Amino acid sequence: RPSLCHRPITINMTQTQTQSQTQSYWTSIEADIAAHLKRAIPIRPPVSVFEPMHYLTFAAPRITASALCIAACELVGGDRDQAMAAASALHLMHAAAYTHEHLPLTDRIRPKPAIHHAYSPNVELLTGDGIIPFGLELLAKSIVKNGSNSDRILRVIVEITRAVGSEGVVDGQYKEFLCSQSKGEESWNLGDIEYVCKKKEGGLYACGAACGAILGGGSEEEVQKLRKYGLYVGMIEGMLYGVGRNKKGMEGEVEKLRGLATKELEIFNGRKIEKICSLVQAGLCSV
Amino acid sequence: RPSLCHRPITINMTQTQTQSQTQSYWTSIEADIAAHLKRAIPIRPPVSVFEPMHYLTFAAPRITASALCIAACELVGGDRDQAMAAASALHLMHAAAYTHEHLPLTDRIRPKPAIHHAYSPNVELLTGDGIIPFGLELLAKSIVKNGSNSDRILRVIVEITRAVGSEGVVDGQYKEFLCSQSKGEESWNLGDIEYVCKKKEGGLYACGAACGAILGGGSEEEVQKLRKYGLYVGMIEGMLYGVGRNKKGMEGEVEKLRGLATKELEIFNGRKIEKICSLVQAGLCSV
């Protein structure tokens, strides 16, 4: 039985209206997440702590893992609000990792591409250290309000801590540093690139999609399918814009991942999957 | 009504047997926490990630906030196991903070007293970043096993993330760096020392005691009394062994805090408070 997503995705996208609707769907999610984060991190005393926290949260480039969390929640029939704290926490985890990745340490011989540092290394280190627990606090506190969904949120805390921790993003970052110190980016082999993309973007997107499905009340099968969908979408993101960006000949890999990603959405056939499906179009991977 | 703790603490401590029993109480708690952490962080693949994680977890000097968490749980009638994950998480948060505090950053002009670095700065940074979510994962996962105490553990996650985050330990660390870069430790004023001790050790000990009481099923009053007890005990720790260690004339402050601390335990009069009370004896503050 052919699924909507198995057909070339452009079938859904040829109508300009649909394409613009899809685009505005992601834009509206991003705006909602940004508004939620702005409310959560007002610049308040101690200003020396909250001002850099606010700045660094919004200075980190957006990743779509957070938006995917919301989209997955809505796809399984949940409300946007149910996934908002988790989506925000995911962005905060990413912002902390991004900040620490660009810290000038005494043993970082080949620094990442220079970024603008608004604060001193010490402040950036400590702010990153503050952002991680803050994100998880946001998430844990979101239970108190709702009451009913404690178990789902607890599961999501485990999902997120695992995805960003020592077997997830941190492992990917470590591998990335090892590789970039021993050889130029052009000479990375495909295995290294895949490993890093899987642990970093792949893991975060997979986590985002799974968390959204959990919070939206999806079935276990839906959670696992969306997790895999997220994994592939994140790996595409990493290959196109992350560690794979300077490697030649990634098109074949990316095409393969697109096929795998869309296949995971088959079980949702009949539901409105155009929006979430649009992520596997390269152009929308970074909204 | 006089409380046991209001009388000079030495009344309970003059009998050598009692003193050694008290000492062995804390030793047994520390051993149980260490055993729990060793089981939680086996050296497994990726070894490049878990080996430094294991090492840095145990390289950080013990703080009694973790043991206090267990003692508070037992004081309100709970079992040691109920507070073990939280006590371990607290030690992990402290270990991450300690590791990052000693990182050589390019803008750290006056480094902390030199410590032995078994790993490169990059590895220590990333490992600290991995330890924070790992500690919270341990805690969140401890629910799955028990099932019944979800709400308590969730509350404890909020307690811990808040204590270690931007308004807690990170704020104290920031203040400490500001002060130590602008003036020598001898010339810190009492207000600075109090601020840092309150945010760092004070906040962690208060959190530990409160979390133990929450997990052990203590009443709200017991939770708040133990939180305050922990705050004072932690501040004593900071003044004697932390940022206040080189400041002259702290004895008066410490004595005042001892009085405040023991007063908080009045409501437990009649229960076996000798053990937990023994922390306000200077010699037992760092077991």
Side-chain angles (χ1 to χ4, degrees):
Chain A
R1 204 171 64 183
S3 94
L4 259 181
C5 259
H6 251 150
R7 298 185 216 156
I9 221 79
T10 40
I11 288 183
N12 303 317
M13 294 295 130
T14 42
Q15 297 165 16
T16 318
Q17 205 194 351
T18 309
Q19 199 165 2
S20 100
Q21 274 172 358
T22 305
Q23 184 72 60
S24 75
Y25 176 68
W26 294 109
T27 310
S28 85
I29 292 181
E30 291 288 353
D32 285 352
I33 296 172
H36 187 81
L37 282 168
K38 270 188 189 127
R39 277 196 304 277
I41 318 174
I43 298 178
R44 58 182 155 126
V47 173
S48 58
V49 168
F50 279 101
E51 196 182 60
M53 195 161 162
H54 192 274
Y55 177 87
L56 292 168
T57 298
F58 292 102
R62 299 279 174 79
I63 52 158
T64 315
S66 302
L68 179 57
C69 178
I70 303 277
C73 176
E74 293 185 338
L75 181 66
V76 300
D79 288 335
R80 190 167 291 197
D81 281 354
Q82 291 177 287
M84 195 50 80
S88 300
L90 269 171
H91 178 77
L92 288 164
M93 298 298 131
H94 157 68
Y98 180 83
T99 302
H100 282 185
E101 223 169 71
H102 291 83
L103 267 187
L105 291 171
T106 53
D107 69 334
R108 288 191 171 170
I109 308 162
R110 287 158 163 270
K112 305 273 292 182
I115 62 161
H116 170 66
H117 289 278
Y119 297 96
S120 67
N122 188 35
V123 169
E124 293 194 351
L125 169 68
L126 291 178
T127 305
D129 284 349
I131 288 177
I132 301 172
F134 179 77
L136 294 162
E137 184 192 337
L138 269 191
L139 195 50
K141 274 198 305 192
S142 71
I143 297 160
V144 183
K145 281 183 217 147
N146 306 332
S148 60
N149 60 339
S150 312
D151 288 342
R152 291 184 193 166
I153 299 216
L154 282 165
R155 190 174 162 197
V156 163
I157 290 176
V158 175
E159 291 278 348
I160 293 183
T161 50
R162 203 170 283 170
V164 302
S166 301
E167 291 179 274
V169 171
V170 166
D171 187 24
Q173 287 177 314
Y174 183 68
K175 179 83 171 171
E176 186 177 357
F177 277 110
L178 282 188
C179 286
S180 58
Q181 304 228 336
S182 69
K183 44 192 170 189
E185 266 179 33
E186 317 72 41
S187 58
W188 284 46
N189 64 49
L190 189 60
D192 294 337
I193 291 177
E194 273 181 351
Y195 190 90
V196 173
C197 292
K198 195 173 171 179
K199 292 289 182 170
K200 287 181 70 181
E201 292 89 348
L204 273 185
Y205 280 66
C207 172
C211 289
I214 291 165
L215 293 165
S219 69
E220 203 50 40
E221 188 186 13
E222 289 174 332
V223 170
Q224 300 315 334
K225 290 285 177 184
L226 280 165
R227 182 196 302 284
K228 280 196 148 183
Y229 176 72
L231 173 69
Y232 298 132
V233 174
M235 288 182 73
I236 294 173
E237 170 83 10
M239 287 181 172
L240 292 177
Y241 307 105
V243 78
R245 67 189 176 283
N246 294 323
K247 179 81 177 171
K248 282 182 187 127
M250 298 301 287
E251 298 78 11
E253 288 304 313
V254 167
E255 208 44 55
K256 214 189 300 171
L257 290 168
R258 280 198 183 112
L260 290 168
T262 50
K263 200 165 155 50
E264 296 297 334
L265 295 181
E266 273 181 18
I267 60 155
F268 298 99
N269 206 354
R271 300 202 214 170
K272 292 180 180 171
I273 54 169
E274 296 84 4
K275 289 169 182 169
I276 204 161
C277 238
S278 67
L279 281 190
V280 293
Q281 289 208 309
L284 284 180
C285 234
S286 285
V287 285
Chain B
R1 204 171 63 181
S3 95
L4 259 181
C5 259
H6 249 152
R7 297 184 216 156
I9 221 79
T10 42
I11 288 182
N12 303 317
M13 296 295 131
T14 42
Q15 297 166 16
T16 318
Q17 204 193 352
T18 309
Q19 199 165 5
S20 102
Q21 274 171 358
T22 304
Q23 184 72 59
S24 75
Y25 176 68
W26 293 109
T27 310
S28 84
I29 292 181
E30 291 287 352
D32 285 352
I33 295 172
H36 187 82
L37 282 168
K38 271 189 187 127
R39 277 195 304 275
I41 318 175
I43 299 178
R44 58 181 155 127
V47 172
S48 57
V49 168
F50 279 100
E51 196 182 60
M53 195 162 163
H54 193 273
Y55 178 87
L56 292 169
T57 297
F58 292 102
R62 298 280 174 79
I63 50 159
T64 314
S66 302
L68 179 56
C69 177
I70 303 276
C73 176
E74 293 184 339
L75 181 66
V76 301
D79 288 334
R80 190 167 291 197
D81 282 353
Q82 291 176 286
M84 195 50 80
S88 301
L90 269 171
H91 177 77
L92 289 164
M93 298 298 130
H94 156 68
Y98 180 84
T99 302
H100 282 185
E101 223 170 70
H102 292 82
L103 267 188
L105 290 171
T106 52
D107 68 334
R108 287 189 171 171
I109 308 160
R110 288 158 162 270
K112 306 271 292 183
I115 62 162
H116 170 67
H117 289 277
Y119 297 95
S120 67
N122 188 34
V123 169
E124 293 194 351
L125 169 68
L126 292 178
T127 305
D129 284 349
I131 288 176
I132 301 173
F134 180 76
L136 294 162
E137 184 192 337
L138 268 192
L139 195 50
K141 274 197 306 194
S142 71
I143 298 160
V144 183
K145 281 183 217 148
N146 305 334
S148 59
N149 60 340
S150 311
D151 289 342
R152 290 184 193 165
I153 298 215
L154 282 165
R155 189 173 163 197
V156 163
I157 290 176
V158 175
E159 291 278 349
I160 293 182
T161 50
R162 204 171 282 171
V164 302
S166 300
E167 291 178 274
V169 171
V170 166
D171 187 25
Q173 286 177 315
Y174 183 68
K175 179 83 171 172
E176 186 177 358
F177 277 110
L178 282 188
C179 285
S180 58
Q181 303 229 337
S182 70
K183 44 192 169 189
E185 266 179 33
E186 316 73 41
S187 57
W188 284 44
N189 63 48
L190 188 60
D192 293 337
I193 292 177
E194 273 182 351
Y195 190 91
V196 173
C197 292
K198 195 172 172 181
K199 292 288 181 171
K200 288 181 70 181
E201 292 89 349
L204 273 184
Y205 280 65
C207 173
C211 289
I214 292 166
L215 292 165
S219 69
E220 203 50 39
E221 187 186 14
E222 289 173 332
V223 170
Q224 300 314 335
K225 290 285 178 184
L226 280 165
R227 182 196 302 284
K228 280 196 148 183
Y229 177 73
L231 173 69
Y232 298 131
V233 174
M235 288 181 73
I236 293 172
E237 169 82 10
M239 287 181 173
L240 292 177
Y241 307 103
V243 79
R245 69 189 175 282
N246 294 324
K247 179 81 178 172
K248 282 183 186 128
M250 298 301 288
E251 298 78 11
E253 288 304 312
V254 167
E255 209 45 55
K256 215 190 300 172
L257 289 168
R258 280 200 183 111
L260 290 169
T262 50
K263 200 165 156 49
E264 295 297 333
L265 295 181
E266 272 182 17
I267 60 156
F268 299 99
N269 206 355
R271 300 203 215 170
K272 293 180 180 171
I273 55 169
E274 296 83 4
K275 289 168 182 171
I276 204 162
C277 237
S278 67
L279 280 191
V280 293
Q281 290 208 310
L284 283 180
C285 233
S286 285
V287 287

